[in-house]
Amino acid sequence: MRKLVILGSTGSIGTQALELVAGADDLELVALSADRRWEQLIAQADEHRVRRVLIADPESAEKARAAWDGEVLNGPEALAELILGAEPDLVLNAIVGSAGLAATVITLSEGVDLALANKESLVVGGDLVIELAAATGARLIPVDSEHSALDQLIASESGQMPGTVERLTLTASGGPFRGRSRSELASVTVEEALNHPTWQMGGKISIDSATLMNKGLEVIEAHQLFGTAYDQLEVVIHPQSIIHSMISLADGSSLAHLGYPDMKVPIAYALHYPRRVKLALEPLDLAQLGSLTFEAVDEEAFPCLGLALAAGREGGTAPCVLNAANEVAVAAFLDHRCSFLQISELIAATLDDARIEQTYSFDTLIAADRAARQATSEHLAALA
Ligand code: NAD
Ligand code: MG
């Protein structure tokens, strides 16, 4: 039995992971965490016989303590206590946003294997995260579907000479606004932006998919995970989301990873690695699909991808600033405090002013994240 901790278990990825764990005979769930949905978290804990949870929001933690006889952790030391106290073999980090960085850092520092859905960890602190994994020997298994696919494809070529894999291609569905011009995006609503055509996801990543920032974050994530130069990373729009990623090799071959869009596949791969488990899913039927289509990204309508690439190339704290600005802007859009197009404008304005540092200690990253949030909030206030 491998002991598993799931962080962010009340979210989209977390709940799908719990369903998979319920049917697994080799995983024992030992701890859970959430931000504030304490009733759902406790119901999950009871169902899976977990006696220890972390609730980040203090008021929600108080309510949970009053209502439940298990252990409810909260406060600055709670995350380390939860992760170390559980002595896990594997942690699934399904927290959303830069709030997930601390969990990634603690897990890898302890040499514990990490199934990483929280792509923001690799955007905000990729250099630090990769260094920690290398130093402790902990395995970092991506849950993001494109990166899970790339991980598998690259592993299949691992016996080859260095340089055999020449290019990585990440596919993007294009989101709900694929095909719209910049002027057509001026008046789109929150409801339209949340209505993703192929994936069911949390609110923040759904907006990131609509702006294409999600793909920008994913290019940075791929750069960090696989050490691939930005010039060798490519994005193509593929509305059906059947091809999850592709690698191109020196001899002219390209290898792709295919499947219906279902996050259970990469989650199960990460939870059971290196074993593949049987999932009750439809086999891929190419004749029924009929055709797969591809298009180039419209960079004028979707400037977030270019902003992310520029921040990734700049390196240091630039991706951290980009991510923080994006989190504040997306929250504002969801709250009807800015328009869809203003999301990228707020991020660009924040990056323009920011002092980028080429160091990456945890404290430097936290300070850069905080300063960028403050700067974006000020730009936001100036819009009103
Ligand atoms: P979600 O909004 O549905 O869930 C987020 C979870 O994080 C919740 O359980 C919430 O309680 C928890 N959380 C938030 N702030 C926290 C904090 N400060 N401390 C502890 N817990 C906190 O998000 P999601 O769609 O499940 O996405 C989670 C992560 O996985 C994101 O980084 C996202 O980019 C990534 N991801 C998601 C999908 C998907 O299909 N949903 C696909 C690929 C990658
Ligand atoms: Mg993805």
Side-chain angles (χ1 to χ4, degrees), residues 163-196:
T164 302
V165 179
E166 292 193 330
R167 198 154 35 93
L168 309 185
T169 303
L170 288 98
T171 55
S173 71
F177 303 137
R178 181 179 62 84
R180 298 211 199 177
S181 66
R182 185 168 169 79
S183 60
E184 287 170 324
L185 291 174
S187 59
V188 295
T189 66
V190 171
E191 291 64 36
E192 289 172 294
L194 284 173
N195 190 17
H196 196 274

mmCIF file of all heavy atoms in Angstrom, residues 163-196:
data_model
loop_
_atom_site.group_PDB
_atom_site.id
_atom_site.type_symbol
_atom_site.label_atom_id
_atom_site.label_comp_id
_atom_site.label_asym_id
_atom_site.label_seq_id
_atom_site.Cartn_x
_atom_site.Cartn_y
_atom_site.Cartn_z
ATOM 1 N N GLY A 163 19.447 15.091 -27.998
ATOM 2 C CA GLY A 163 19.158 15.850 -29.214
ATOM 3 C C GLY A 163 18.219 15.138 -30.157
ATOM 4 O O GLY A 163 17.805 15.701 -31.170
ATOM 5 N N THR A 164 17.875 13.880 -29.840
ATOM 6 C CA THR A 164 16.964 13.140 -30.717
ATOM 7 C C THR A 164 15.578 13.794 -30.745
ATOM 8 O O THR A 164 14.953 13.880 -31.797
ATOM 9 C CB THR A 164 16.823 11.678 -30.233
ATOM 10 O OG1 THR A 164 18.123 11.108 -30.230
ATOM 11 C CG2 THR A 164 15.916 10.869 -31.138
ATOM 12 N N VAL A 165 15.118 14.244 -29.560
ATOM 13 C CA VAL A 165 13.820 14.942 -29.515
ATOM 14 C C VAL A 165 14.072 16.407 -29.853
ATOM 15 O O VAL A 165 14.746 17.125 -29.121
ATOM 16 C CB VAL A 165 13.178 14.814 -28.109
ATOM 17 C CG1 VAL A 165 11.851 15.570 -28.067
ATOM 18 C CG2 VAL A 165 12.959 13.350 -27.745
ATOM 19 N N GLU A 166 13.561 16.837 -31.002
ATOM 20 C CA GLU A 166 13.904 18.186 -31.473
ATOM 21 C C GLU A 166 12.862 19.238 -31.113
ATOM 22 O O GLU A 166 13.168 20.420 -31.028
ATOM 23 C CB GLU A 166 14.074 18.165 -33.005
ATOM 24 C CG GLU A 166 15.295 17.365 -33.410
ATOM 25 C CD GLU A 166 15.684 17.573 -34.861
ATOM 26 O OE1 GLU A 166 14.764 17.836 -35.682
ATOM 27 O OE2 GLU A 166 16.882 17.469 -35.160
ATOM 28 N N ARG A 167 11.608 18.810 -30.948
ATOM 29 C CA ARG A 167 10.562 19.813 -30.732
ATOM 30 C C ARG A 167 9.413 19.181 -29.964
ATOM 31 O O ARG A 167 9.076 18.008 -30.149
ATOM 32 C CB ARG A 167 10.046 20.303 -32.096
ATOM 33 C CG ARG A 167 9.294 21.604 -32.058
ATOM 34 C CD ARG A 167 9.391 22.324 -33.425
ATOM 35 N NE ARG A 167 9.395 21.402 -34.547
ATOM 36 C CZ ARG A 167 8.297 21.029 -35.217
ATOM 37 N NH1 ARG A 167 7.127 21.500 -34.896
ATOM 38 N NH2 ARG A 167 8.390 20.190 -36.227
ATOM 39 N N LEU A 168 8.804 19.968 -29.069
ATOM 40 C CA LEU A 168 7.609 19.532 -28.347
ATOM 41 C C LEU A 168 6.431 20.392 -28.814
ATOM 42 O O LEU A 168 6.555 21.610 -28.901
ATOM 43 C CB LEU A 168 7.771 19.714 -26.828
ATOM 44 C CG LEU A 168 9.029 19.155 -26.149
ATOM 45 C CD1 LEU A 168 8.921 19.331 -24.632
ATOM 46 C CD2 LEU A 168 9.238 17.688 -26.479
ATOM 47 N N THR A 169 5.312 19.759 -29.106
ATOM 48 C CA THR A 169 4.122 20.502 -29.522
ATOM 49 C C THR A 169 3.012 20.279 -28.506
ATOM 50 O O THR A 169 2.616 19.138 -28.243
ATOM 51 C CB THR A 169 3.646 20.036 -30.910
ATOM 52 O OG1 THR A 169 4.727 20.203 -31.832
ATOM 53 C CG2 THR A 169 2.448 20.853 -31.388
ATOM 54 N N LEU A 170 2.539 21.370 -27.933
ATOM 55 C CA LEU A 170 1.396 21.299 -27.026
ATOM 56 C C LEU A 170 0.156 21.693 -27.807
ATOM 57 O O LEU A 170 0.155 22.703 -28.521
ATOM 58 C CB LEU A 170 1.552 22.283 -25.860
ATOM 59 C CG LEU A 170 2.592 21.929 -24.811
ATOM 60 C CD1 LEU A 170 3.890 22.671 -25.077
ATOM 61 C CD2 LEU A 170 2.072 22.275 -23.432
ATOM 62 N N THR A 171 -0.894 20.908 -27.667
ATOM 63 C CA THR A 171 -2.145 21.291 -28.314
ATOM 64 C C THR A 171 -2.990 22.123 -27.352
ATOM 65 O O THR A 171 -2.891 21.984 -26.140
ATOM 66 C CB THR A 171 -2.948 20.052 -28.745
ATOM 67 O OG1 THR A 171 -3.142 19.220 -27.598
ATOM 68 C CG2 THR A 171 -2.223 19.294 -29.830
ATOM 69 N N ALA A 172 -3.819 22.990 -27.930
ATOM 70 C CA ALA A 172 -4.748 23.822 -27.150
ATOM 71 C C ALA A 172 -6.108 23.709 -27.808
ATOM 72 O O ALA A 172 -6.196 23.757 -29.042
ATOM 73 C CB ALA A 172 -4.284 25.281 -27.159
ATOM 74 N N SER A 173 -7.145 23.568 -27.005
ATOM 75 C CA SER A 173 -8.477 23.458 -27.617
ATOM 76 C C SER A 173 -8.885 24.774 -28.281
ATOM 77 O O SER A 173 -9.679 24.791 -29.206
ATOM 78 C CB SER A 173 -9.513 23.096 -26.558
ATOM 79 O OG SER A 173 -9.713 24.215 -25.710
ATOM 80 N N GLY A 174 -8.311 25.877 -27.780
ATOM 81 C CA GLY A 174 -8.711 27.194 -28.285
ATOM 82 C C GLY A 174 -9.760 27.835 -27.390
ATOM 83 O O GLY A 174 -10.039 29.029 -27.506
ATOM 84 N N GLY A 175 -10.342 27.026 -26.503
ATOM 85 C CA GLY A 175 -11.313 27.569 -25.539
ATOM 86 C C GLY A 175 -12.615 27.979 -26.188
ATOM 87 O O GLY A 175 -12.835 27.767 -27.380
ATOM 88 N N PRO A 176 -13.508 28.596 -25.412
ATOM 89 C CA PRO A 176 -14.840 28.947 -25.912
ATOM 90 C C PRO A 176 -14.833 30.066 -26.960
ATOM 91 O O PRO A 176 -15.831 30.245 -27.660
ATOM 92 C CB PRO A 176 -15.587 29.392 -24.649
ATOM 93 C CG PRO A 176 -14.521 29.773 -23.673
ATOM 94 C CD PRO A 176 -13.350 28.896 -23.972
ATOM 95 N N PHE A 177 -13.740 30.810 -27.070
ATOM 96 C CA PHE A 177 -13.731 31.965 -27.982
ATOM 97 C C PHE A 177 -12.844 31.755 -29.210
ATOM 98 O O PHE A 177 -12.475 32.708 -29.892
ATOM 99 C CB PHE A 177 -13.277 33.227 -27.225
ATOM 100 C CG PHE A 177 -14.144 33.530 -26.032
ATOM 101 C CD1 PHE A 177 -13.580 33.919 -24.829
ATOM 102 C CD2 PHE A 177 -15.525 33.409 -26.117
ATOM 103 C CE1 PHE A 177 -14.387 34.188 -23.732
ATOM 104 C CE2 PHE A 177 -16.336 33.681 -25.016
ATOM 105 C CZ PHE A 177 -15.762 34.069 -23.816
ATOM 106 N N ARG A 178 -12.517 30.507 -29.494
ATOM 107 C CA ARG A 178 -11.708 30.206 -30.677
ATOM 108 C C ARG A 178 -12.378 30.778 -31.919
ATOM 109 O O ARG A 178 -13.590 30.652 -32.093
ATOM 110 C CB ARG A 178 -11.566 28.694 -30.821
ATOM 111 C CG ARG A 178 -10.742 28.233 -31.991
ATOM 112 C CD ARG A 178 -10.650 26.723 -32.000
ATOM 113 N NE ARG A 178 -11.946 26.092 -32.154
ATOM 114 C CZ ARG A 178 -12.554 25.878 -33.322
ATOM 115 N NH1 ARG A 178 -11.963 26.231 -34.453
ATOM 116 N NH2 ARG A 178 -13.734 25.310 -33.360
ATOM 117 N N GLY A 179 -11.580 31.436 -32.751
ATOM 118 C CA GLY A 179 -12.120 31.966 -34.003
ATOM 119 C C GLY A 179 -12.637 33.391 -33.889
ATOM 120 O O GLY A 179 -12.917 34.024 -34.905
ATOM 121 N N ARG A 180 -12.757 33.916 -32.663
ATOM 122 C CA ARG A 180 -13.236 35.301 -32.540
ATOM 123 C C ARG A 180 -12.083 36.285 -32.682
ATOM 124 O O ARG A 180 -10.961 36.018 -32.273
ATOM 125 C CB ARG A 180 -13.884 35.523 -31.171
ATOM 126 C CG ARG A 180 -15.091 34.644 -30.996
ATOM 127 C CD ARG A 180 -16.118 35.305 -30.122
ATOM 128 N NE ARG A 180 -17.017 34.275 -29.619
ATOM 129 C CZ ARG A 180 -17.999 34.504 -28.766
ATOM 130 N NH1 ARG A 180 -18.200 35.726 -28.316
ATOM 131 N NH2 ARG A 180 -18.776 33.529 -28.369
ATOM 132 N N SER A 181 -12.408 37.450 -33.260
ATOM 133 C CA SER A 181 -11.392 38.497 -33.403
ATOM 134 C C SER A 181 -11.291 39.270 -32.098
ATOM 135 O O SER A 181 -12.139 39.135 -31.214
ATOM 136 C CB SER A 181 -11.805 39.459 -34.519
ATOM 137 O OG SER A 181 -12.975 40.146 -34.103
ATOM 138 N N ARG A 182 -10.258 40.100 -31.993
ATOM 139 C CA ARG A 182 -10.066 40.884 -30.773
ATOM 140 C C ARG A 182 -11.300 41.752 -30.485
ATOM 141 O O ARG A 182 -11.759 41.823 -29.345
ATOM 142 C CB ARG A 182 -8.811 41.751 -30.942
ATOM 143 C CG ARG A 182 -8.457 42.498 -29.695
ATOM 144 C CD ARG A 182 -7.078 43.131 -29.749
ATOM 145 N NE ARG A 182 -6.949 44.032 -28.611
ATOM 146 C CZ ARG A 182 -6.689 43.651 -27.370
ATOM 147 N NH1 ARG A 182 -6.484 42.378 -27.110
ATOM 148 N NH2 ARG A 182 -6.608 44.522 -26.384
ATOM 149 N N SER A 183 -11.847 42.408 -31.524
ATOM 150 C CA SER A 183 -12.989 43.304 -31.269
ATOM 151 C C SER A 183 -14.224 42.507 -30.824
ATOM 152 O O SER A 183 -15.023 42.988 -30.024
ATOM 153 C CB SER A 183 -13.303 44.159 -32.495
ATOM 154 O OG SER A 183 -13.626 43.312 -33.572
ATOM 155 N N GLU A 184 -14.342 41.283 -31.303
ATOM 156 C CA GLU A 184 -15.488 40.452 -30.882
ATOM 157 C C GLU A 184 -15.358 39.994 -29.423
ATOM 158 O O GLU A 184 -16.334 39.549 -28.827
ATOM 159 C CB GLU A 184 -15.611 39.219 -31.785
ATOM 160 C CG GLU A 184 -16.131 39.555 -33.169
ATOM 161 C CD GLU A 184 -16.033 38.376 -34.136
ATOM 162 O OE1 GLU A 184 -15.049 37.608 -34.054
ATOM 163 O OE2 GLU A 184 -16.920 38.234 -34.974
ATOM 164 N N LEU A 185 -14.144 40.092 -28.885
ATOM 165 C CA LEU A 185 -13.924 39.641 -27.503
ATOM 166 C C LEU A 185 -14.197 40.741 -26.477
ATOM 167 O O LEU A 185 -14.205 40.491 -25.275
ATOM 168 C CB LEU A 185 -12.485 39.133 -27.337
ATOM 169 C CG LEU A 185 -12.171 37.832 -28.075
ATOM 170 C CD1 LEU A 185 -10.681 37.500 -27.967
ATOM 171 C CD2 LEU A 185 -12.989 36.684 -27.501
ATOM 172 N N ALA A 186 -14.421 41.968 -26.967
ATOM 173 C CA ALA A 186 -14.553 43.109 -26.055
ATOM 174 C C ALA A 186 -15.714 42.944 -25.082
ATOM 175 O O ALA A 186 -15.618 43.352 -23.927
ATOM 176 C CB ALA A 186 -14.693 44.399 -26.854
ATOM 177 N N SER A 187 -16.797 42.343 -25.522
ATOM 178 C CA SER A 187 -17.996 42.330 -24.672
ATOM 179 C C SER A 187 -18.386 40.938 -24.194
ATOM 180 O O SER A 187 -19.511 40.733 -23.739
ATOM 181 C CB SER A 187 -19.155 42.959 -25.456
ATOM 182 O OG SER A 187 -19.350 42.206 -26.638
ATOM 183 N N VAL A 188 -17.468 39.963 -24.262
ATOM 184 C CA VAL A 188 -17.853 38.610 -23.827
ATOM 185 C C VAL A 188 -18.085 38.576 -22.307
ATOM 186 O O VAL A 188 -17.471 39.322 -21.554
ATOM 187 C CB VAL A 188 -16.811 37.530 -24.211
ATOM 188 C CG1 VAL A 188 -16.713 37.394 -25.715
ATOM 189 C CG2 VAL A 188 -15.448 37.824 -23.599
ATOM 190 N N THR A 189 -18.987 37.691 -21.872
ATOM 191 C CA THR A 189 -19.372 37.649 -20.456
ATOM 192 C C THR A 189 -18.624 36.552 -19.707
ATOM 193 O O THR A 189 -18.027 35.648 -20.305
ATOM 194 C CB THR A 189 -20.881 37.362 -20.318
ATOM 195 O OG1 THR A 189 -21.122 36.030 -20.807
ATOM 196 C CG2 THR A 189 -21.718 38.356 -21.101
ATOM 197 N N VAL A 190 -18.728 36.629 -18.387
ATOM 198 C CA VAL A 190 -18.125 35.609 -17.516
ATOM 199 C C VAL A 190 -18.731 34.239 -17.828
ATOM 200 O O VAL A 190 -18.013 33.242 -17.941
ATOM 201 C CB VAL A 190 -18.356 35.981 -16.029
ATOM 202 C CG1 VAL A 190 -17.934 34.838 -15.107
ATOM 203 C CG2 VAL A 190 -17.595 37.248 -15.668
ATOM 204 N N GLU A 191 -20.034 34.202 -18.002
ATOM 205 C CA GLU A 191 -20.724 32.928 -18.262
ATOM 206 C C GLU A 191 -20.212 32.295 -19.547
ATOM 207 O O GLU A 191 -19.961 31.090 -19.607
ATOM 208 C CB GLU A 191 -22.240 33.140 -18.339
ATOM 209 C CG GLU A 191 -22.894 33.509 -17.012
ATOM 210 C CD GLU A 191 -22.432 34.855 -16.435
ATOM 211 O OE1 GLU A 191 -22.187 35.804 -17.222
ATOM 212 O OE2 GLU A 191 -22.275 34.938 -15.204
ATOM 213 N N GLU A 192 -20.062 33.115 -20.593
ATOM 214 C CA GLU A 192 -19.537 32.580 -21.864
ATOM 215 C C GLU A 192 -18.101 32.073 -21.694
ATOM 216 O O GLU A 192 -17.729 31.037 -22.235
ATOM 217 C CB GLU A 192 -19.542 33.673 -22.943
ATOM 218 C CG GLU A 192 -20.915 34.070 -23.444
ATOM 219 C CD GLU A 192 -20.819 35.283 -24.357
ATOM 220 O OE1 GLU A 192 -20.459 36.380 -23.884
ATOM 221 O OE2 GLU A 192 -21.102 35.135 -25.558
ATOM 222 N N ALA A 193 -17.317 32.822 -20.925
ATOM 223 C CA ALA A 193 -15.905 32.455 -20.752
ATOM 224 C C ALA A 193 -15.763 31.153 -19.953
ATOM 225 O O ALA A 193 -14.820 30.394 -20.150
ATOM 226 C CB ALA A 193 -15.150 33.587 -20.052
ATOM 227 N N LEU A 194 -16.715 30.898 -19.047
ATOM 228 C CA LEU A 194 -16.634 29.685 -18.218
ATOM 229 C C LEU A 194 -17.096 28.429 -18.963
ATOM 230 O O LEU A 194 -16.895 27.316 -18.491
ATOM 231 C CB LEU A 194 -17.495 29.848 -16.956
ATOM 232 C CG LEU A 194 -16.912 30.735 -15.850
ATOM 233 C CD1 LEU A 194 -17.931 30.939 -14.747
ATOM 234 C CD2 LEU A 194 -15.626 30.147 -15.286
ATOM 235 N N ASN A 195 -17.700 28.625 -20.114
ATOM 236 C CA ASN A 195 -18.317 27.521 -20.834
ATOM 237 C C ASN A 195 -17.328 26.830 -21.777
ATOM 238 O O ASN A 195 -17.368 27.022 -22.983
ATOM 239 C CB ASN A 195 -19.526 28.079 -21.593
ATOM 240 C CG ASN A 195 -20.371 26.980 -22.176
ATOM 241 O OD1 ASN A 195 -20.262 25.822 -21.771
ATOM 242 N ND2 ASN A 195 -21.189 27.341 -23.134
ATOM 243 N N HIS A 196 -16.424 26.025 -21.193
ATOM 244 C CA HIS A 196 -15.366 25.424 -22.006
ATOM 245 C C HIS A 196 -15.900 24.278 -22.874
ATOM 246 O O HIS A 196 -16.674 23.456 -22.392
ATOM 247 C CB HIS A 196 -14.224 24.916 -21.120
ATOM 248 C CG HIS A 196 -12.970 24.644 -21.884
ATOM 249 N ND1 HIS A 196 -12.739 23.443 -22.507
ATOM 250 C CD2 HIS A 196 -11.922 25.424 -22.165
ATOM 251 C CE1 HIS A 196 -11.569 23.514 -23.125
ATOM 252 N NE2 HIS A 196 -11.054 24.701 -22.931
#
